[in-house]
Amino acid sequence: DVKVTQSSRYLVKRTGEKVFLECVQDMDHENMFWYRQDPGLGLRLIYFSYDVKMKEKGDIPEGYSVSREKKERFSLILESASTNQTSMYLCASSLSLLALEGLRGTQYFGPGTRLLVL
Amino acid sequence: AQSVTQLDSQVPVFEEAPVELRCNYSSSVSVYLFWYVQYPNQGLQLLLKYLSGSTLVKGINGFEAEFNKSQTSFHLRKPSVHISDTAEYFCAVILSSGSARQLTFGSGTQLTVLP
């Protein structure tokens, strides 16, 4: 069964702290994604990775960085947390679009991490 | 560039009534289309997807969606909703070309089923 896990469900941090959000998938997927979800804005892509050590900026990368040292793990880093980064963070993974029909494109999501920055 | 518009941010409906959640997309090339559901305090779960073939797609929990290329729409429907269908629903598209990786999501529609 497909599984994407995130290290924390809830996190409270102070302004200026360095924050690590971890995501692990056990499906051998090439692609991994980090989104933030805010009311009325839907999901916005922060960064994604299509292979180990490869990353690309999404729509809102400012204030974030990522790390993908192993295929199954994709980390989101807030170098210096700010209050406007209070949000729900969702991780997802997917197979390549070159995968078999029926499998391609579908993203599988983790349960989310609700981050509060004080 | 592709974009997704969910026209209704909130849809209240009575239990056992039919519902339609609207989704329109804009893309000049072929796309794959998805509907995801997010129950309270949970991550997103795939409801259904259209990749190719029949334009009427059936998903889990009695939902279905119809791909209409001429209207660039992918509306989600259910003939009779339950209280347990209360959730937020997201429409998403991805380019069908092999090099594309990004899903573009709509802003979401909150479906509230009333007793």
Side-chain angles (χ1 to χ4, degrees):
Chain A
D1 199 15
V2 164
K3 196 163 186 184
V4 180
T5 56
Q6 295 183 228
S7 52
S8 306
R9 291 300 304 272
Y10 300 95
L11 215 49
V12 180
K13 296 291 180 182
R14 296 209 174 273
T15 302
E17 279 193 76
K18 191 169 185 176
V19 182
F20 292 87
L21 302 182
E22 304 284 345
C23 176
V24 177
Q25 50 96 3
D26 63 358
M27 299 162 285
D28 202 34
H29 283 174
E30 295 88 359
N31 304 321
M32 295 188 75
F33 307 82
W34 274 107
Y35 296 90
R36 64 176 283 176
Q37 181 183 14
D38 301 288
L41 298 176
L43 274 72
R44 293 180 292 167
L45 182 65
I46 304 171
Y47 265 97
F48 67 100
S49 167
Y50 52 91
D51 202 350
V52 175
K53 296 190 186 295
M54 306 303 285
K55 59 186 179 185
E56 285 193 26
K57 293 179 180 179
D59 300 320
I60 50 164
E62 296 78 19
Y64 303 93
S65 62
V66 290
S67 171
R68 193 159 180 208
E69 297 297 317
K70 294 184 178 181
K71 192 175 186 180
E72 67 270 19
R73 187 180 297 270
F74 191 38
S75 304
L76 180 69
I77 303 153
L78 287 66
E79 295 290 343
S80 177
S82 62
T83 54
N84 63 14
Q85 291 178 310
T86 291
S87 187
M88 167 74 102
Y89 290 87
L90 292 167
C91 175
S93 72
S94 74
L95 282 169
S96 162
L97 283 179
L98 299 175
L100 291 172
E101 176 77 25
L103 297 177
R104 65 182 65 156
T106 301
Q107 290 191 13
Y108 298 89
F109 284 81
T113 296
R114 195 171 290 280
L115 173 66
L116 172 62
V117 182
L118 300 174
Chain B
Q2 63 204 51
S3 69
V4 181
T5 303
Q6 290 183 245
L7 296 164
D8 307 300
S9 59
Q10 305 265 354
V11 174
V13 64
F14 286 108
E15 194 173 16
E16 298 184 7
V19 71
E20 178 180 85
L21 306 183
R22 296 181 292 171
C23 173
N24 287 88
Y25 68 93
S26 63
S27 175
S28 57
V29 298
S30 296
V31 296
Y32 296 146
L33 296 152
F34 303 80
W35 274 100
Y36 282 86
V37 59
Q38 185 179 33
Y39 298 105
N41 300 313
Q42 295 186 27
L44 272 69
Q45 178 183 354
L46 182 68
L47 260 184
L48 50 79
K49 60 185 174 184
Y50 171 79
L51 302 180
S52 64
S54 171
T55 56
L56 183 62
V57 181
K58 294 193 183 296
I60 62 171
N61 301 340
F63 284 92
E64 63 181 32
E66 186 158 18
F67 169 54
N68 188 320
K69 189 174 182 180
S70 62
Q71 297 185 5
T72 60
S73 68
F74 191 54
H75 301 331
L76 181 70
R77 301 186 185 101
K78 186 169 182 177
S80 175
V81 294
H82 302 290
I83 297 286
S84 59
D85 292 322
T86 293
E88 190 153 24
Y89 292 79
F90 293 93
C91 181
V93 303
I94 189 169
L95 295 179
S96 59
S97 63
S99 61
R101 299 181 184 95
Q102 292 191 53
L103 263 180
T104 300
F105 284 87
S107 55
T109 297
Q110 175 65 43
L111 174 66
T112 303
V113 181
L114 306 166

